Amino acid sequence: MNHMPPAWGRPRDDVYGAYDPSYLSSNGPKTLTQSPVVTGTSVVAVKFQDGVVIAADNLASYGSLARFTDVKRLRHFNATTVIGVGGDVSDMQYIDRLLNSLDITENYGSIGHNLNAKNLHTYLSKIMYKRRSDVNPLWNHILVAGLDGDGHPFLSSVDLLGTTFSSPTLATGFGALLAQPLLRKLVEDEAALDSITEERAIAAVKECMKVLFYRDARSLDKYSIAVITKDGGVDLKQDEQLDGQSWAFAETIKGYGTQIV
């Protein structure tokens, strides 16, 4: 009998026959990710007169299981840009490695010029479109918030198809259905930005995070929020907790479970 460590845990050849490794063969067809497994939900963001506010909760769900409760989905990139990522967490980690490499290259190679939010959005849109064209998409929806080359507030998105979109208010996941109507009441268009202060923008985003926690089963009451301004740079706060929660509205919901209509 073979007692060497490489044989530990294997069935005995003299009893079960020789070990057949053919099932480990890689000669079959190449397979790609068909659907995300561990995912993050909504990212919400809104412009105001001097900058941008962006927020995302810290939950990564394994299917319908709230599995990981400390996953930061806001990525601080240089002094003017924050990236919020929804969708597959493993693809988010791949994008994070790409950005780390890009950050190192820029810090060592650039002279008198740094990537701004608009440059970074263009870079990510090319990455996402290339992967989509390879029929191996990154299963993410990304919001890029920060300042452009002229110091003006910038907010734009790119999805797994490489489709880009800009607006004064943006949200991914369920936030596109639940948070966008609230944000659009605050900021109807670009012309309305001059009347939106930082305090009003932060309050609106926090209210959206609360509504998402009430209504989205894949959300959490612990979140990260970042404020990007020309004067203050990036103010990123993690592990923020929702306050002022009230579940009184649940008493009026009828027609589920054992409740009597």
Side-chain angles (χ1 to χ4, degrees), residues 46-51 153 168 187 189-197:
V46 60
K47 291 182 184 178
F48 59 94
Q49 58 189 9
D50 297 321
V187 185
D189 51 32
E190 293 282 349
L193 291 178
D194 292 337
S195 62
I196 307 302
T197 63

Side-chain angles (χ1 to χ4, degrees), residues 116-151:
N116 55 54
K118 189 174 183 179
N119 301 144
L120 195 61
H121 176 257
T122 301
Y123 171 80
L124 288 172
S125 67
K126 303 302 181 185
I127 293 292
M128 302 295 277
Y129 185 77
K130 193 269 181 186
R131 288 291 297 261
R132 171 253 190 176
S133 299
D134 292 340
V135 200
N136 185 21
L138 297 170
W139 292 77
N140 298 108
H141 195 168
I142 305 171
L143 297 189
V144 181
L147 306 175
D148 61 17
D150 297 323

Side-chain angles (χ1 to χ4, degrees), residues 16 35 47 59 90 99 105 108 137 151 170 218 220 225 237 247:
Y16 299 100
S35 62
K47 291 182 184 178
L59 180 66
S90 60
L99 295 179
T105 302
Y108 277 98
L170 286 175
R218 306 293 176 267
L220 191 68
I225 185 169
K237 297 179 181 178
W247 294 91

Side-chain angles (χ1 to χ4, degrees), residues 207-246:
E207 183 65 22
C208 289
M209 298 305 295
K210 186 185 299 184
V211 170
L212 288 171
F213 180 57
Y214 288 157
R215 299 293 184 179
D216 184 2
R218 306 293 176 267
S219 64
L220 191 68
D221 60 347
K222 187 170 66 174
Y223 64 97
S224 301
I225 185 169
V227 180
I228 308 101
T229 59
K230 186 174 183 180
D231 297 330
V234 175
D235 180 17
L236 175 59
K237 297 179 181 178
Q238 298 175 329
D239 297 327
E240 293 289 290
Q241 191 76 26
L242 289 178
D243 54 4
Q245 298 180 42
S246 173

Side-chain angles (χ1 to χ4, degrees), residues 35-240:
S35 62
V37 177
V38 179
T39 59
T41 183
S42 307
V43 182
V44 299
V46 60
K47 291 182 184 178
F48 59 94
Q49 58 189 9
D50 297 321
V52 188
V53 180
I54 184 171
D57 66 44
N58 295 351
L59 180 66
S61 301
Y62 180 74
S64 59
L65 174 67
R67 178 63 182 84
F68 306 101
T69 59
D70 194 29
V71 176
K72 309 299 191 299
R73 296 188 292 119
L74 295 187
R75 167 71 159 81
H76 181 193
F77 188 90
N78 69 38
T80 62
T81 308
V82 171
I83 298 162
V85 185
D88 190 74
V89 170
S90 60
D91 285 345
M92 178 187 74
Q93 293 168 337
Y94 170 77
I95 292 171
D96 190 56
R97 290 195 296 271
L98 284 181
L99 295 179
N100 280 329
S101 177
L102 178 63
D103 198 15
I104 292 171
T105 302
E106 284 296 308
N107 287 333
Y108 277 98
S110 62
I111 301 175
H113 175 74
N114 293 317
L115 292 178
N116 55 54
K118 189 174 183 179
N119 301 144
L120 195 61
H121 176 257
T122 301
Y123 171 80
L124 288 172
S125 67
K126 303 302 181 185
I127 293 292
M128 302 295 277
Y129 185 77
K130 193 269 181 186
R131 288 291 297 261
R132 171 253 190 176
S133 299
D134 292 340
V135 200
N136 185 21
L138 297 170
W139 292 77
N140 298 108
H141 195 168
I142 305 171
L143 297 189
V144 181
L147 306 175
D148 61 17
D150 297 323
H152 299 146
F154 177 87
L155 178 59
S156 195
S157 72
V158 57
D159 63 12
L160 78 166
L161 300 178
T163 304
T164 61
F165 186 77
S166 296
S167 175
T169 64
L170 286 175
T172 72
F174 257 99
L177 304 174
L178 301 176
Q180 275 284 56
L182 301 177
L183 295 176
R184 285 173 176 164
K185 284 184 178 180
L186 177 71
V187 185
E188 295 182 357
D189 51 32
E190 293 282 349
L193 291 178
D194 292 337
S195 62
I196 307 302
T197 63
E198 178 180 335
E199 291 75 18
R200 291 181 64 191
I202 293 175
V205 168
K206 288 184 175 181
E207 183 65 22
C208 289
M209 298 305 295
K210 186 185 299 184
V211 170
L212 288 171
F213 180 57
Y214 288 157
R215 299 293 184 179
D216 184 2
R218 306 293 176 267
S219 64
L220 191 68
D221 60 347
K222 187 170 66 174
Y223 64 97
S224 301
I225 185 169
V227 180
I228 308 101
T229 59
K230 186 174 183 180
D231 297 330
V234 175
D235 180 17
L236 175 59
K237 297 179 181 178
Q238 298 175 329
D239 297 327
E240 293 289 290

